[in-house]
Amino acid sequence: MSDQADEHADITGGAVARVSGRAAVPGRVPLRAPANPVSRKAIVLWLLEQLFWSVVLIGGSFLLARWIDGDRWSWLPGWALDHIWWLPALTVVAVLPGAIAEPFWRYAVHRWELSGDVVYARSGWISREWAFVPVSRIQTVDKAQGWFERALGLATVEIRTASHAGSSTIKGLDYGVAAALASELARRAEELRDDAT
């Protein structure tokens, strides 16, 4: 889950490219992980979210199996009707391992950094997203807390620019860190706007 040395970023446009086994391309710098990890409590947050949705899926498969068994759907093959109670068991086997592994994987990937006049964030778990948001383009900075986040003392910082593609979200921050980051981003964005006028 660590970043590979063959990942590079185009410093002029912010696009990500892969360069395997070659010397660094002029105008490109190695893409490093942002400096700050999210809170370790984010693992608990993501685990609670995954377990919630796992219970919904497993409960839904149980209800579906009960409905199919009670109505004996004629269009299903006989072997499927005779073994319909395998559906919830297969759902448990398919869903739970991913639900337990995903929070730890996400924690290893999710990082953020406020460096100079750029917010740099990395997120994801199966696929990864690197976001570079120039502070001068920030229009709004919001803090958000869902139920689980509030219970754990966490918050999400939502950074919005005029372009949806330029916006970013940093999840899993301690509430105090999120409040300080949002305040600092708002202050820097205001200063840069004042300097530009």
Side-chain angles (χ1 to χ4, degrees):
M1 282 179 254
S2 64
D3 288 321
Q4 302 294 322
D6 63 350
E7 293 174 341
H8 288 72
D10 181 342
I11 59 174
T12 58
V16 175
R18 283 204 168 279
V19 181
S20 299
R22 288 181 253 152
V25 178
R28 295 178 185 242
V29 293
L31 185 62
R32 62 172 177 77
N36 307 308
V38 296
S39 172
R40 288 191 65 80
K41 292 186 285 187
I43 296 171
V44 177
L45 169 69
W46 292 322
L47 186 60
L48 288 173
E49 289 173 347
Q50 288 304 312
L51 289 177
F52 172 80
W53 289 112
S54 296
V55 167
V56 169
L57 284 172
I58 293 165
S61 69
F62 176 81
L63 292 175
L64 180 62
R66 185 175 173 153
W67 180 29
I68 292 170
D69 190 44
D71 288 350
R72 298 298 290 180
W73 292 359
S74 60
W75 56 272
L76 282 177
W79 64 266
L81 290 171
D82 293 339
H83 298 96
I84 199 64
W85 289 105
W86 281 87
L87 180 63
L90 291 174
T91 305
V92 168
V93 169
V95 169
L96 277 185
I100 293 169
E102 185 249 351
F104 297 96
W105 197 339
R106 281 178 74 177
Y107 177 75
V109 172
H110 283 232
R111 299 180 73 80
W112 67 277
E113 181 177 346
L114 176 57
S115 175
D117 294 329
V118 175
V119 180
Y120 175 27
R122 183 180 69 188
S123 60
W125 69 291
I126 292 177
S127 60
R128 293 186 188 172
E129 179 180 317
W130 286 261
F132 302 86
V133 182
V135 174
S136 60
R137 295 182 183 239
I138 293 175
Q139 292 189 332
T140 61
V141 180
D142 298 316
K143 292 186 311 281
Q145 277 187 309
W147 292 356
F148 292 142
E149 286 176 310
R150 197 169 330 135
L152 294 168
L154 297 173
T156 297
V157 173
E158 298 171 352
I159 304 162
R160 294 191 179 90
T161 64
S163 165
H164 175 70
S167 300
S168 184
T169 301
I170 305 171
K171 296 184 178 194
L173 298 176
D174 283 314
Y175 183 82
V177 172
L181 177 60
S183 175
E184 180 66 13
L185 285 173
R187 185 188 65 76
R188 284 194 194 183
E190 186 63 33
E191 284 177 2
L192 289 171
R193 273 195 292 274
D194 289 345
D195 290 346
T197 57

